[in-house]
Amino acid sequence: MTPDPRDSVPPGRPADERTEPETDDTSPAPAAGKRRRSLRLTLPGCWGALLLAALSFTPSLLPRGGVLQGLVCGIGAAIGYGLGVTAAYVWRAFADRKARTPSTRSWQLFGLSAVVLLGLAFGWGQYWQHEIRGLMGVTDYNVLTTLACPFVAAAVFLLLLAAGRGLRRLYRWVAALLRRWIGPRAARVVGWLVVAGLAWSLVSGVLLSGFVGAANEAFSLRDTETPEGVRQPVSALRSGGPGSLVPWDTLGRQGRVFTGSGPTAQEITAFTHRPASEPVRAYAGLATSDDAETRAERAVADLQRAGGFARANLLVMTTTGSGWVNAAAVDSFEYLGGGDAATVAMQYSYLPSWLSYLVDQSKAREAGRELFDAVYDVWSKLPRDERPRLFVAGESLGSFGGETAFSGEYDLRNRTAGAVFAGPPNFNTLFREFSDHREPGSPEIEPVYKDGRTVRFTDDPVAGIGPADRPWDGTRVLYLVHPSDPIVWWSPRLALSEPDWIGQAPGGDVLEEMVWIPFVTFWQVTADLPFSTGVPDGHGHSYKAAYVDAWNAVMRPADVTSQDLERLREIIRSPDR
């Protein structure tokens, strides 16, 4: 690529003289020349692109395949190019001079530097990815996608560059139009504001709304399906079963999975070696009612009909997105409760978790509050000696919804017997409050809040839940947080400010070589989000066997040995679940 001579002035020419490309009788046709000019790159922009493209190979939280690495590299290069062009423009403004045409030697030096730097970055990147896969026990490696990395990066870079230049042309057209009525400086400022506002409205309004609408339609059709192997309950203790107030066909796909599965009384008896009851499971799907409050009331009414308030342990479970409930969370609760347990949940969206994470936060907040309040209204009116122990749980966006029913630590302590929140998103109100106000010296990946008297954090409850030397009486609230979980650590602030968790000692499954780099780290962690559950249990956003020891710590069941917990972990890890 060669620089654009229209924006440069060679040394020795007057400062106000514009450099024009030389032409002769063999000059290309105007259209061809316009296409070539549109592909020209500036040297400062190329240096910025090279720097951020090389830095994009540094490690983040999860292993990255070649295609994903190419995507991150291309985005980084495009951002770097823009920063380089902007820096050069600002420098010229302070130096009060026009752009200069780089020499051939300058381009040769850049080309040599690009080959060396990108080669080293690619090699180190492969080494770091190998190390991350080793930490997590990931064995998958695809050579072909690795070789595709530079091609994907180039395509993404050129696509973003073309989009940026398209916006620049639009700005110039708007500014030229405005100069008919206002001064040139005002026209430039207003032109940028108009184009920026138009681009934002297009992305956040038309495109996003259209995408969400199309996705909602597609997933609403899928919600009518019943997964293979799931059968309508024959027990009156389940929503959708005999006598249920919530019809089977209104539960939605995930609701049918929830009520049509789970451990039986015989399976729980085989684990505890004592007679066990069949657990109660109540659920309401989106088709049950259009209104969240009414839907919650229907779920609680069915819970009451099935005798859920007569059980020893009652769990309010806030779902994620499409109504999904992590079977490991509820199964562990029911096994450790000896079957004398009831769980209630409800659906609030058709969208999958990752999309609900972006657009359905308000629905999750409403669902979590309405469901708990409906349960608490019935529970609080029972005689004190007849009330079940009331627990709360949620994973990912479900933890966000579960938190919203409470104002803080005291509210959790006063209105529940305990809670387990797994993989909380970084925007969770209470999670941020407990983490931001942690004791000095405690790390962000495992903070200590108010001596751990109520709320505690762990990435591995088997290894212990700190602080071990301080009492944990009464209500126990436990957060399961993996150091490598991008759902927990992703935030827009990553683009411009370094979080504590990167500057502090990393967790056991995060490389020490991970450092914060402006813009780059944000896109790396963003790219980790869609693949956060595609890693082995105990890493990323994959929470499964940890629920066994988490519920054991929160529920404190009697006569459960370490051997029992190991057996239960094997049951929960079973691929059939």
Side-chain angles (χ1 to χ4, degrees):
M1 295 295 181
T2 58
D4 189 341
R6 297 175 303 163
D7 298 328
S8 58
V9 178
R13 292 198 180 183
D16 60 348
E17 182 180 344
R18 303 291 296 181
T19 301
E20 296 294 340
E22 295 183 359
T23 60
D24 54 28
D25 295 340
T26 61
S27 296
K34 192 172 184 179
R35 283 195 299 271
R36 288 202 304 182
R37 287 196 298 271
S38 68
L39 293 176
R40 285 177 177 144
L41 304 173
T42 66
L43 186 59
C46 287
W47 277 109
L50 173 61
L51 180 60
L52 263 67
L55 290 174
S56 73
F57 286 93
T58 56
S60 59
L61 297 173
L62 300 178
R64 292 196 297 270
V67 173
L68 183 59
Q69 178 60 62
L71 177 65
V72 174
C73 183
I75 293 174
I79 294 173
Y81 185 86
L83 292 175
V85 170
T86 302
Y89 175 82
V90 172
W91 169 255
R92 290 196 302 271
F94 278 99
D96 194 24
R97 67 172 178 79
K98 299 288 186 178
R100 297 174 180 174
T101 302
S103 65
T104 302
R105 181 169 296 181
S106 297
W107 282 105
Q108 290 173 343
L109 176 62
F110 169 77
L112 178 62
S113 301
V115 171
V116 173
L117 190 57
L118 288 177
L120 290 173
F122 184 83
W124 275 108
Q126 294 308 302
Y127 169 75
W128 285 322
Q129 293 306 311
H130 171 75
E131 292 294 295
I132 296 175
R133 289 194 297 270
L135 286 177
M136 298 188 178
V138 176
T139 57
D140 293 340
Y141 179 72
N142 192 313
V143 177
L144 293 178
T145 59
T146 301
L147 295 176
C149 173
F151 301 99
V152 173
V156 171
F157 170 71
L158 293 175
L159 181 63
L160 293 176
L161 184 64
R165 289 182 172 178
L167 289 175
R168 185 179 64 181
R169 291 191 190 97
L170 178 61
Y171 149 72
R172 287 174 174 171
W173 179 80
V174 172
L177 187 64
L178 291 172
R179 277 198 293 270
R180 298 179 182 179
W181 299 281
I182 60 178
R185 291 184 179 179
R188 287 194 294 269
V189 173
V190 175
W192 271 120
L193 292 175
V194 169
V195 171
L198 181 63
W200 174 254
S201 299
L202 187 64
V203 173
S204 64
V206 178
L207 290 182
L208 184 59
S209 297
F211 173 72
V212 171
N216 200 61
E217 285 293 325
F219 286 106
S220 65
L221 294 176
R222 187 172 184 268
D223 197 57
T224 62
E225 302 172 355
T226 302
E228 186 177 355
V230 175
R231 299 287 182 270
Q232 184 174 358
V234 295
S235 169
L237 301 178
R238 303 292 177 98
S239 290
S244 174
L245 303 178
V246 182
W248 171 253
D249 58 1
T250 70
L251 291 176
R253 178 185 176 91
Q254 297 298 339
R256 288 190 284 273
V257 172
F258 174 69
T259 63
S261 61
T264 64
Q266 291 76 16
E267 290 172 324
I268 298 174
T269 297
F271 166 71
T272 61
H273 303 297
R274 293 186 297 274
S277 305
E278 181 181 348
V280 173
R281 291 191 176 190
Y283 193 97
L286 274 176
T288 304
S289 173
D290 294 333
D291 176 70
E293 182 179 357
T294 306
R295 199 180 314 130
E297 291 173 352
R298 291 284 296 276
V300 173
D302 206 39
L303 173 72
Q304 194 169 17
R305 173 204 62 81
F309 287 94
R311 297 303 177 97
N313 303 289
L314 173 58
L315 173 62
V316 180
M317 188 83 187
T318 307
T319 66
T320 66
S322 59
W324 177 78
V325 174
N326 191 336
V330 180
D331 290 0
S332 299
F333 179 80
E334 293 171 342
Y335 272 108
L336 291 172
D340 195 6
T343 304
V344 61
M346 77 175 192
Q347 182 185 14
Y348 56 83
S349 174
Y350 291 125
L351 302 177
S353 183
W354 67 272
L355 191 51
S356 294
Y357 176 79
L358 297 176
V359 301
D360 271 351
Q361 295 179 23
S362 60
K363 292 183 179 180
R365 180 186 295 110
E366 181 185 30
R369 185 181 296 120
E370 293 291 354
L371 183 59
F372 182 83
D373 286 350
V375 171
Y376 190 79
D377 182 60
V378 176
W379 179 88
S380 62
K381 294 174 182 177
L382 297 173
R384 287 187 175 273
D385 57 350
E386 296 180 14
R387 295 175 183 171
R389 293 195 299 167
L390 183 58
F391 297 91
V392 179
E395 182 174 319
S396 191
L397 197 57
S399 72
F400 171 75
E403 279 189 0
T404 58
F406 307 95
S407 60
E409 180 207 27
Y410 278 115
D411 201 18
L412 278 163
R413 190 178 187 90
N414 291 336
R415 296 206 291 163
T416 74
V420 174
F421 296 125
N426 198 261
F427 55 73
N428 275 25
T429 304
L430 296 187
F431 170 66
R432 284 264 48 95
E433 177 184 333
F434 301 147
S435 181
D436 293 343
H437 295 87
R438 64 187 182 275
E439 291 184 7
S442 64
E444 189 173 11
I445 62 172
E446 199 168 357
V448 176
Y449 179 78
K450 299 288 182 69
D451 291 326
R453 62 189 183 188
T454 302
V455 180
R456 298 197 176 189
F457 298 78
T458 184
D459 68 323
D460 182 10
V462 178
I465 302 171
D469 59 341
R470 302 179 196 178
W472 198 13
D473 302 322
T475 296
R476 293 185 173 188
V477 177
L478 181 62
Y479 282 87
L480 294 175
V481 178
H482 291 156
S484 58
D485 187 351
I487 297 292
V488 175
W489 308 119
W490 183 89
S491 167
R493 295 188 298 272
L494 276 174
L496 296 174
S497 61
E498 180 181 6
D500 291 343
W501 60 270
I502 291 183
Q504 297 167 346
D509 58 355
V510 177
L511 288 183
E512 291 185 6
E513 288 82 356
M514 182 180 180
V515 295
W516 177 78
I517 304 169
F519 299 105
V520 174
T521 301
F522 169 79
W523 284 110
Q524 288 177 328
V525 178
T526 300
D528 287 336
L529 290 174
F531 306 96
S532 58
T533 59
V535 291
D537 181 36
H539 306 285
H541 197 61
S542 183
Y543 298 88
K544 200 169 183 180
Y547 276 112
V548 172
D549 295 272
W551 278 123
N552 182 61
V554 171
M555 296 175 71
R556 289 167 281 186
D559 303 324
V560 175
T561 66
S562 58
Q563 290 79 13
D564 293 332
L565 294 176
E566 180 57 37
R567 285 194 299 117
L568 185 53
R569 287 188 215 109
E570 291 301 319
I571 293 173
I572 298 300
R573 287 193 191 105
S574 171
D576 297 333
R577 293 187 177 277

